[in-house]
Amino acid sequence: MRDEPQTSTRKDRRAAFGLLFVCLMMVGVGNSMLFAILPPLARDIGVAEIYVGAIYTLSALMYLTMSPVWGGLSDQYGRRPLVVFGLATYSASTLILAAGAWAGQSGLLAPLAAVLAMALARTLFGALGSATGPAAQAYVADRTAPGERTQALAGMTAAFALGGMIGPALAAGFSDRIGMVPFMVMVALLVGACAIAVRLTLPENTPPSARERRPLSPLAQFAFAGDRRVRAFVMYGCASWLVQAASLQAIGFFIMDRLALDTSAGLQLAGVALTAGAAALIFVQLVAIPALKVSPRMLMIIGAALTLAGQVELIFSGGYASIVLGFLLNSLGFGFARSGFTGGASLAVSPEEQGRAAGVTAATAGLGFLIAPLTGLWLYQAVGPTAPFMLNVALSVLAGAIALLHPRVRLAIKPVEPAEPREDEGGVV
């Protein structure tokens, strides 16, 4: 609970949101580059697809565990310190990841040892770098009226999508010219620069109150996910992220195997597909959602329908164009879905609980990437290339049923509309 409302001029708020947008975009670049880099890197150092999942698994477990904790801490200690901490540790973890990849490529580490080193680096990100997302989301929620909050939060998630679009393209281009490892180092340094910029320039005028401290153990924070106000949105988010994470992890291998490509060509074409998917996310969050002005529930319904269509297209794809189309439809759907369940959960709770809501909705990403090595890569290797997408069809149907039938989601029917914040005579929001 805060001593007094946050106040800032509209100009200050735009600048602050713009800075956070850039920071989240850089994190998105770093995350998405892995989906393009890791499949060919795994083939280069000679490890099976399932071992790539280990790089994600520990990280996802820690992200799932710690995101709600960081969200609760941001309620108590402020948003800016948590954003800075998360960015700084993300930068450090990416440098360690690059070192592990270099050791594996150069033969200094055995293939499985290199995978373990990279998995531990990503675990550092999951445990500590996960502070950035919930704190940034809560920062935006603090400074937006209910009528504009879903759209504002969609703008922040569009930052990840923009990074997701740039990351694979940059990975393909720079890896061909300077190598995978130097590109990872470059991304780490840019994220570190973002941490410095936030520390020096992001305004946070009202300090958080020390009163009403809540327990911050992971179990205590996870209990909030069972709160009847947010439970349905968290369930929907888990299903959506399971579909998205399995698709992201499998798509590079799927392209290489379905089209019989070597690692170099696979990196290039996977980068194009991932870039197209990220562009679809940006279109949804920056263009489609503001234009449609529909409710969080309707966003969730549209999202589930589009992801279902995308997974079916991937299952029956016969060439590269149909693979890209299926991934594009899936990405469009996820853009609607993520904005819907994130905005719905934020609107369902009080201002003092925005950090906790941001934490539990962010944790759904961790759950998706924790389980995706089984639902994506293990199924891919053990059953067949289309098996992950078949499971995703069932998950999309489940998500659609929650959006259509759950009574709590059916209350989230207020249209998302841009709302000009009211000002006093001094121009303060």
Side-chain angles (χ1 to χ4, degrees), residues 207-218:
S209 172
R211 298 192 304 270
E212 297 186 12
R213 302 267 183 197
R214 300 186 184 96
L216 290 172
S217 71

Side-chain angles (χ1 to χ4, degrees), residues 45-61:
I45 64 177
V47 295
E49 291 91 340
I50 190 63
Y51 291 110
V52 175
I55 298 175
Y56 299 109
T57 300
L58 289 174
S59 171
L61 176 62

Side-chain angles (χ1 to χ4, degrees), residues 19-406:
L19 176 59
L20 288 177
F21 187 96
V22 171
C23 293
L24 295 178
M25 180 188 72
M26 288 309 307
V27 173
V29 167
N31 281 337
S32 65
M33 72 177 179
L34 297 181
F35 302 118
I37 286 175
L38 287 181
L41 180 62
R43 298 279 167 91
D44 276 348
I45 64 177
V47 295
E49 291 91 340
I50 190 63
Y51 291 110
V52 175
I55 298 175
Y56 299 109
T57 300
L58 289 174
S59 171
L61 176 62
M62 296 309 301
Y63 196 96
L64 169 66
T65 303
M66 294 303 297
S67 289
V69 174
W70 295 125
L73 283 171
S74 77
D75 282 337
Q76 296 184 9
Y77 297 104
R79 317 304 186 192
R80 183 174 63 190
L82 275 296
V83 172
V84 173
F85 179 75
L87 290 170
T89 52
Y90 180 88
S91 177
S93 71
T94 305
L95 289 174
I96 299 171
L97 181 76
W102 173 78
Q105 284 184 316
S106 62
L108 292 177
L109 287 177
L112 291 182
V115 168
L116 177 60
M118 289 187 283
L120 292 175
R122 287 296 293 175
T123 300
L124 178 63
F125 158 70
L128 306 179
S130 54
T132 300
Q137 181 179 319
Y139 185 95
V140 172
D142 287 343
R143 291 158 177 80
T144 49
E148 61 180 349
R149 188 172 301 153
T150 300
Q151 182 179 333
L153 292 175
M156 288 297 107
T157 55
F160 283 107
L162 181 58
M165 181 178 72
I166 296 171
L170 291 178
F174 278 89
S175 295
D176 188 51
R177 290 171 174 79
I178 66 174
M180 298 180 190
V181 171
F183 176 67
M184 286 189 270
V185 171
M186 181 180 72
V187 171
L189 294 177
L190 288 172
V191 174
C194 288
I196 295 171
V198 170
R199 176 63 183 87
L200 296 178
T201 65
L202 187 73
E204 187 158 21
N205 299 329
T206 307
S209 172
R211 298 192 304 270
E212 297 186 12
R213 302 267 183 197
R214 300 186 184 96
L216 290 172
S217 71
L219 289 178
Q221 292 303 306
F222 277 125
F224 188 69
D227 187 295
R228 63 184 180 84
R229 296 169 296 170
V230 300
R231 181 169 54 231
F233 300 106
V234 172
M235 291 166 55
Y236 180 97
C238 289
S240 297
W241 267 113
L242 282 169
V243 171
Q244 180 72 353
S247 299
L248 286 169
Q249 290 188 16
I251 194 68
F253 293 111
F254 189 68
I255 288 172
M256 285 191 287
D257 293 337
R258 180 59 66 95
L259 304 179
L261 302 173
D262 61 22
T263 57
S264 177
L267 174 60
Q268 299 296 321
L269 292 185
V272 172
L274 289 164
T275 300
L281 277 168
I282 294 168
F283 172 79
V284 166
Q285 292 164 334
L286 297 185
V287 178
I289 290 175
L292 291 174
K293 299 183 178 67
V294 296
S295 67
R297 180 186 181 227
M298 184 56 65
L299 294 177
M300 293 164 69
I301 293 171
I302 296 171
L306 286 173
T307 56
L308 176 61
Q311 298 301 313
V312 171
E313 179 67 24
L314 285 168
I315 291 170
F316 294 103
S317 61
Y320 183 64
S322 57
I323 293 173
V324 173
L325 174 60
F327 192 70
L328 191 69
L329 288 170
N330 180 77
S331 300
L332 286 168
F334 183 69
F336 283 108
R338 185 176 183 183
S339 296
F341 78 79
T342 301
S346 177
L347 292 171
V349 301
S350 68
E352 291 79 15
E353 297 171 305
Q354 289 301 319
R356 301 184 84 193
V360 295
T361 54
T364 59
L367 180 67
F369 283 101
L370 176 65
I371 300 177
L374 292 176
T375 60
L377 297 179
W378 181 82
L379 279 178
Y380 188 98
Q381 185 176 341
V383 180
T386 60
F389 309 122
M390 292 179 181
L391 178 59
N392 287 347
V393 166
L395 290 168
S396 297
V397 171
L398 174 62
I402 293 171
L404 285 167
L405 304 175
H406 198 284

